[in-house]
């Protein structure tokens, strides 16, 4: 009789042990710590499918597509990559943790959407890119993006100054950002623009000198509109000797 009871106790004990092990394994698989590890690995490996399982959308329900993920994943340097990524996955200003440490549902990490607003002069056109990714701009606003420090490049087309490319570090880890492009200062500080402007000035005065030597004929003056040329010609015609 006692032998039979001992067997029952043993079976029950083994069953309870297995149950505890299984429940422990399930709890660990779904735990915040383990999901954070999987999230970090998915970002480091640029694996969108694994990332999407843990981060299905932004915390406001907006779609988090593959390109947005890659823009984020490619922003980290190769050196100490996982350590750098962990700073972001562990940051509650970047990822909101939902359903933390549930027994049967894994913790979700949903990023808070971040936006960059670019302010430029009227009629100035600008395209913004991060690495090889051209960002979609709507009403001068870029986003939503996952919070990070992004190295952005602005290709600017100004009706006054021409074309220019400028880089800017957008810090979007904890809040949205507005970047005001000081157009005049940016172009003046650009060495390519300085060289272009200098060449235009040299070309203008060189053609002016040529016009003086060519019997005060300024029709070939470069870097001037037709109206300006006509005014210039009229002025010098009035200065011609009467003889």
């Amino acid at each position: 009789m006692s032998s039979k009871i001992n067997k029952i106790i043993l079976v029950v004990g083994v069953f309870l042990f297995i149950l505890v092990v299984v429940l422990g394994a399930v709890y660990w698989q779904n735990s915040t710590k383990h999901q954070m590890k999987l999230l970090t690995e998915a970002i480091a490996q640029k694996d969108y499918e694994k990332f999407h399982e843990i981060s299905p959308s932004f915390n406001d329900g907006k779609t988090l597509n593959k390109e947005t993920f890659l823009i984020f994943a490619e922003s980290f340097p190769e050196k100490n990559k996982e350590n750098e990524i962990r700073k972001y996955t562990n940051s509650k200003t970047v990822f909101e943790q939902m359903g933390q440490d549930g027994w049967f549902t894994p913790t979700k990490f949903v990023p808070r959407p971040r936006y960059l607003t670019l302010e430029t002069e009227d009629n100035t056109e600008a395209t913004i890119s991060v690495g090889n990714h051209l960002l979609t701009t709507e009403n001068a606003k870029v986003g939503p993006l996952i919070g990070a420090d992004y190295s952005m490049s602005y290709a600017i087309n100004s009706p006054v100054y021409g074309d220019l490319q400028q880089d800017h570090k957008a810090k979007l880890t904890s809040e949205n950002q507005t970047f005001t492009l000081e157009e005049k200062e940016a172009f003046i500080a650009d060495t390519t623009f300085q060289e272009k402007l200098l060449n235009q000035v040299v070309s203008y005065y060189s053609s002016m000198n040529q016009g003086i030597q060519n019997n005060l004929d300024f029709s070939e003056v470069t870097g001037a509109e037709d109206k300006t040329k006509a005014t210039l010609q009229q002025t010098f015609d009035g200065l011609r000797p009467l003889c």
Side-chain angles (χ1 to χ4, degrees):
M1 185 70 176
S2 62
S3 176
K4 186 176 181 180
I5 293 173
N6 288 338
K7 287 181 179 179
I8 293 173
I9 293 172
L10 178 63
V11 169
V12 171
V14 171
F15 173 77
L16 290 175
F17 175 77
I18 294 173
L19 181 63
V20 169
V21 170
V22 170
L23 288 175
V26 170
Y27 178 78
W28 165 246
Q29 287 291 328
N30 294 329
S31 69
T32 300
K33 187 174 182 180
H34 183 61
Q35 290 299 306
M36 185 182 295
K37 179 177 181 293
L38 295 179
L39 178 65
T40 301
E41 290 173 352
I43 295 169
Q45 296 164 10
K46 302 174 187 174
D47 189 329
Y48 174 68
E49 299 304 324
K50 288 183 179 179
F51 175 85
H52 189 67
E53 291 176 5
I54 307 166
S55 297
S57 68
F58 286 99
N59 74 339
D60 61 357
K62 284 188 172 67
T63 301
L64 205 172
N65 59 35
K66 186 174 183 178
E67 184 172 26
T68 301
F69 164 70
L70 288 175
I71 291 170
F72 175 69
E74 292 172 4
S75 67
F76 297 98
E78 289 299 323
K79 187 177 180 181
N80 298 323
K81 179 183 282 189
E82 288 203 9
N83 288 335
E84 289 299 314
I85 293 172
R86 204 170 288 115
K87 294 176 185 177
Y88 291 83
T89 55
N90 197 37
S91 171
K92 293 185 179 180
T93 64
V94 177
F95 287 93
E96 179 184 353
Q97 299 174 12
M98 301 182 68
Q100 292 174 279
D101 293 327
W103 275 94
F104 301 106
T105 55
T107 302
K108 298 296 182 186
F109 286 74
V110 285
R112 305 177 191 275
R114 300 296 180 200
Y115 297 88
L116 172 79
T117 300
L118 177 64
E119 294 184 346
T120 61
E121 299 288 343
D122 292 341
N123 300 320
T124 293
E125 297 178 358
T127 55
I128 307 174
S129 58
V130 177
N132 296 322
H133 301 276
L134 184 64
L135 304 184
T136 302
T137 306
E138 185 174 348
N139 297 324
K141 182 183 285 188
V142 173
L145 297 170
I146 302 172
D149 292 338
Y150 291 105
S151 296
M152 295 188 172
S153 180
Y154 306 96
I156 304 154
N157 178 253
S158 166
V160 177
Y161 302 104
D163 297 330
L164 175 68
Q165 184 161 316
Q166 188 179 46
D167 296 327
H168 171 67
K169 192 82 166 181
K171 296 183 177 296
L172 300 174
T173 50
S174 58
E175 59 184 2
N176 299 331
Q177 188 180 72
T178 297
F179 176 58
T180 302
L181 176 65
E182 301 294 345
E183 197 170 284
K184 180 179 178 182
E185 288 76 3
F187 275 92
I188 289 175
D190 183 66
T191 54
T192 302
F193 178 74
Q194 293 171 6
E195 292 174 2
K196 179 181 177 181
L197 192 60
L198 178 61
N199 289 336
Q200 287 179 338
V201 171
V202 170
S203 177
Y204 174 79
Y205 281 106
S206 177
S207 62
M208 276 281 292
N209 181 57
Q210 188 65 37
I212 292 171
Q213 295 182 41
N214 192 27
N215 194 29
L216 300 181
D217 179 4
F218 298 100
S219 60
E220 300 300 322
V221 170
T222 59
E225 296 181 351
D226 291 340
K227 184 178 179 180
T228 303
K229 291 180 186 180
T231 302
L232 185 66
Q233 188 66 61
Q234 185 178 10
T235 300
F236 274 89
D237 285 344
L239 297 175
R240 287 180 184 275
L242 295 177
C243 57

